[in-house]
Amino acid sequence: MNQPIAPHRVEFLHHPHPGFPHLTAWGIRINGTDLRVLVAEATRTLWNRELDEDDDTPQEREEFLLRQHAPLHLDADGARARSHFLGDAPPHLRDRDTGALCLLSCPCGIDACWPLLARLRVTATQVTWSGFYQLHRPEWGELPLGPYVFPRPAYEAALATPVPLAQDPLAPLLGKE
């Protein structure tokens, strides 16, 4: 028998894009941890198979893992972000084959360049993120993340009141203060 999945807590963050202050970056924390940190942990061994460890210092490798994704650049007022994170994402922020939703984008600013995708399931009582994958690394398969189940009222409240930040919360780890 399957054990019920304990609910998780999500926070949506927004801050100015470091290179384009007129754009709003929408980040995500799950249970208090930035999604990019969770992805770094989930992809560490996968990257270790591909990268030559002699090319980078341990600090450079860690920065690479944390920089592989960036927050999505959505609207400042949150209307587009709310639609997006409830499943009504525009075609360029979805995998046309699977319908998976882009949760993080590429640091270059082009969402389709290096997106983190996940299946989104919305019911009357909960929102579930599962089946995380990197579109451009099919050989990696599903990443060891989630599933994350959020109570829908708390999820919608987090979307309606994102945490405003002056800068990217990972900026100190990435030497961008």
Side-chain angles (χ1 to χ4, degrees):
M1 180 162 59
N2 289 340
Q3 294 290 331
I5 297 172
H8 295 275
R9 184 174 44 87
V10 67
E11 293 173 279
F12 293 94
L13 322 166
H14 69 92
H15 56 83
H17 181 285
F20 304 97
H22 65 284
L23 295 176
T24 300
W26 282 75
I28 301 165
R29 285 187 192 136
I30 299 174
N31 302 326
T33 302
D34 194 291
L35 182 55
R36 293 170 292 169
V37 172
L38 297 171
V39 173
E41 287 301 316
T43 59
R44 184 179 311 282
T45 57
L46 298 165
W47 279 117
N48 285 342
R49 294 180 202 151
E50 291 188 34
L51 301 174
D52 184 350
E53 66 183 52
D54 295 333
D55 288 345
D56 301 312
T57 67
Q59 181 177 348
E60 289 170 332
R61 179 68 59 96
E62 195 59 29
E63 286 181 13
F64 170 81
L65 289 169
L66 292 172
R67 289 178 198 259
Q68 69 182 301
H69 293 291
L72 288 174
H73 301 105
L74 300 169
D75 58 338
D77 71 4
R80 184 172 158 215
R82 282 189 290 281
S83 292
H84 177 87
F85 288 113
L86 284 169
D88 188 19
H92 74 282
L93 293 176
R94 287 193 165 283
D95 180 343
R96 70 173 175 252
D97 296 329
T98 67
L101 179 78
C102 183
L103 295 177
L104 293 172
S105 73
C106 183
C108 79
I110 300 170
D111 299 316
C113 182
W114 190 254
L116 174 71
L117 298 157
R119 287 188 307 275
L120 175 76
R121 183 170 175 257
V122 179
T123 70
T125 59
Q126 63 188 26
V127 177
T128 304
W129 293 352
S130 64
F132 291 81
Y133 66 100
Q134 173 42 254
L135 183 65
H136 302 298
R137 288 294 192 282
E139 66 276 12
W140 286 3
E142 188 174 314
L143 298 175
L145 287 170
Y148 298 111
V149 178
F150 310 105
R152 186 165 177 177
Y155 184 94
E156 287 189 9
L159 263 175
T161 57
V163 177
L165 301 173
Q167 68 174 4
D168 183 337
L170 294 189
L173 296 174
L174 301 173
K176 292 183 178 180
E177 288 188 281

